[in-house]
Amino acid sequence: MSFINYSAKEINCKIVYYGAGLCGKTTNLSYIYKRTSPDNKGKMISLATETERTLFFDFLPISLGTINGFRIRFHLYTVPGQVFYDASRKLILRGADGVVFIADSQVERMEANIESVENLRKNLAEHHLDYNTIPYAIQYNKRDIDDIMPIEEMNAVLNERKVPYFEGIAATGKGVFEALREIGRAVILDLKRKT
Ligand SMILES: Nc1nc2c(ncn2[C@@H]2O[C@H](COP(=O)(O)OP(=O)(O)OP(=O)(O)O)[C@@H](O)[C@H]2O)c(=O)[nH]1
Ligand SMILES: [Mg+2]
């Protein structure tokens, strides 16, 4: 649920990066952090295990300019992708205004991607959020690896909603700001529609 602070003239939106373990969610956020000017971002907070896998979430607040004099603040979160962290994933989705789904393009991760979309659908529903209507964008990540699925095939299986999608190499930044811009656009459109 976006939070509008009238006295501070700020609109706060929560964007959640979702996807299977090791698909590249944290790498997306780290890239955004690196490439955003200090004036437009807060501290990036990562709660990681020793192996740098997300234990609970990563968090990065950024500003995206103003609308009608209101500053737009995006609070970006990643979830931990490993199957057994479902309780954390569910908690982090609470009050989400938009979701970026990161899919791992490797053939061997296709099953995990499909499971993750199903898990997203279920966890959104538990917060009375609808997978079919929440602002949504997809990044097909790891396009630099050899054994990957063709984009059209991934899209046929993972993009039931037919939302905008982007090829990504999060490690080098390809597709990272494209996906962020798209979810920003979709969230703001949704906000305007509701007010
Ligand atoms: N080759 C390649 N490696 C990538 C890419 N994006 C991320 N990686 C690597 O994949 C590994 C996992 O990336 P993370 O960003 O930590 O994945 P995550 O989705 O946050 O994983 P969890 O927190 O465990 O859910 C790291 O070693 C990254 O460097 C990419 O586009 N190409
Ligand atoms: Mg992570």
Side-chain angles (χ1 to χ4, degrees):
M1 218 54 63
S2 58
F3 170 72
I4 303 182
N5 181 335
Y6 287 94
S7 56
K9 298 206 94 181
E10 277 179 3
I11 303 175
N12 292 278
C13 302
K14 180 173 184 177
I15 310 289
V16 178
Y17 281 67
Y18 213 89
L22 298 179
C23 67
K25 301 173 293 294
T26 298
T27 309
N28 265 268
L29 234 64
S30 302
Y31 187 81
I32 294 166
Y33 180 77
K34 263 194 307 210
R35 294 300 169 97
T36 306
S37 89
D39 300 343
N40 293 333
K41 70 187 177 196
K43 261 210 180 77
M44 177 164 166
I45 295 168
S46 283
L47 299 181
T49 62
E50 317 82 88
T51 56
E52 296 198 340
R53 302 196 66 172
T54 309
L55 188 59
F56 199 68
F57 61 76
D58 306 306
F59 171 65
L60 172 60
I62 58 170
S63 301
L64 287 189
T66 59
I67 295 182
N68 298 335
F70 279 73
R71 182 196 297 278
I72 311 290
R73 273 194 209 284
F74 276 24
H75 298 238
L76 308 183
Y77 288 81
T78 76
V79 298
Q82 290 177 84
V83 173
F84 51 83
Y85 288 135
D86 195 45
S88 304
R89 263 195 305 282
K90 192 183 309 177
L91 194 59
I92 288 149
L93 267 185
R94 187 174 158 188
D97 295 298
V99 173
V100 179
F101 186 81
I102 310 291
D104 190 324
S105 297
Q106 296 178 91
V107 173
E108 64 189 47
R109 294 302 283 161
M110 207 46 199
E111 207 53 48
N113 292 327
I114 294 168
E115 246 176 60
S116 184
V117 173
E118 278 321 305
N119 177 256
L120 169 65
R121 192 193 301 267
K122 169 177 97 42
N123 282 338
L124 283 170
E126 297 201 13
H127 293 297
H128 308 291
L129 294 168
D130 186 355
Y131 167 79
N132 293 302
T133 55
I134 192 165
Y136 194 57
I138 300 176
Q139 179 193 80
Y140 298 118
N141 190 34
K142 304 202 182 179
R143 298 310 295 174
D144 59 318
I145 293 181
D146 283 338
D147 196 15
I148 54 176
M149 299 281 293
I151 284 288
E152 302 70 35
E153 254 175 76
M154 292 191 81
N155 208 44
V157 176
L158 299 172
N159 193 1
E160 185 190 321
R161 284 184 53 185
K162 306 206 183 329
V163 295
Y165 59 91
F166 304 91
E167 296 196 33
I169 306 173
T172 64
K174 180 176 156 64
V176 171
F177 276 97
E178 289 81 352
L180 176 62
R181 257 196 301 279
E182 170 54 27
I183 198 64
R185 190 196 63 78
V187 164
I188 287 165
L189 202 69
D190 188 54
L191 206 68
K192 286 180 173 163
R193 200 176 48 78
K194 285 177 182 159
T195 52

